[in-house]
Amino acid sequence: MEPETVSPALQLFLDHQGLSPAFVTGRRWDVVAWNEAARVVFGDYEQMSAHERNSVWRMFTSPTYRQFLVDWEGHARRLLAQFRAMCGRYPGDPWLTELIQDLMIASPEFRAWWPDHEVLSASEDHKIFKHPQGGSLVFELVTFQVSDAPGLTVTVYIPLDEADTPAKVSQLLSS
């Protein structure tokens, strides 16, 4: 499979989200594009390995992310159910099979929950993070597919006034 990329217009869309961290994931849930707000909130994707850029891998194997996300277990279970739904669209994909096998080895939670066969399709969520520099950050998020590139999904985290999130993201961006 060729590397997934975004169009210049889609990158421009991400860059114009201001205080809203936004990124694009490919069909295998790898982050393939992001804006500056996503970098300061979620980490420097440019410096991450291919595995670390995978949303499912990061959720289940990163001790930092586990501490970063309030209600990690609830969000991890929902992400896994969404991932399972996506896997159903690509049966027999060798890369996905390998990722699942690697996660079965690397994560006790993934290993325990994968056999549950939960499936979920969600495009909106509410998340609270404990950012090491910004403190408590509260977001509403929306996810949608790119119409002319259906393998790409855009996720935008909208900072809520709770916990003064917009001001905190602004401060992270300026530091």
Side-chain angles (χ1 to χ4, degrees):
M1 183 175 145
E2 289 186 31
E4 294 170 299
T5 59
V6 300
S7 69
L10 184 52
Q11 184 63 58
L12 189 62
F13 170 81
L14 295 176
D15 293 340
H16 278 81
Q17 295 311 300
L19 298 177
S20 296
F23 54 83
V24 176
T25 51
R27 75 175 188 100
R28 294 175 172 158
W29 290 38
D30 295 319
V31 175
V32 297
W34 54 89
N35 66 4
E36 185 64 12
R39 187 191 67 76
V40 300
V41 171
F42 301 119
D44 191 350
Y45 291 103
E46 195 72 38
Q47 301 302 315
M48 293 179 192
S49 70
H51 258 34
E52 290 169 327
R53 280 194 200 174
N54 182 275
S55 301
V56 181
W57 181 265
R58 189 172 188 199
M59 175 69 82
F60 282 95
T61 65
S62 170
T64 303
Y65 204 71
R66 186 180 295 252
Q67 293 173 350
F68 178 61
L69 185 56
V70 174
D71 186 24
W72 176 86
E73 182 176 334
H75 290 293
R77 285 180 175 272
R78 277 193 296 284
L79 182 81
L80 182 58
Q82 293 166 351
F83 178 68
R84 178 181 286 291
M86 184 278 303
C87 286
R89 293 193 302 260
Y90 306 104
D93 180 309
W95 189 92
L96 286 173
T97 301
E98 183 179 335
L99 176 63
I100 292 164
Q101 290 171 346
D102 289 349
L103 282 163
M104 294 288 266
I105 294 166
S107 169
E109 294 87 358
F110 187 93
R111 189 169 43 255
W113 301 338
W114 184 253
D116 293 346
H117 299 287
E118 290 184 38
V119 175
L120 178 66
S121 174
S123 59
E124 298 178 2
D125 200 359
H126 184 86
K127 290 194 179 181
I128 303 171
F129 296 98
K130 293 181 287 188
H131 193 276
Q133 287 81 37
S136 182
L137 302 175
V138 184
F139 297 96
E140 196 70 31
L141 72 98
V142 63
T143 302
F144 52 92
Q145 284 191 300
V146 178
S147 64
D148 61 347
L152 298 180
T153 302
V154 176
T155 302
V156 180
Y157 284 77
I158 303 156
L160 300 180
D161 289 333
E162 294 175 51
D164 206 20
T165 302
K168 290 177 180 177
V169 172
S170 180
Q171 187 168 2
L172 288 169
L173 283 165
S174 65
S175 57

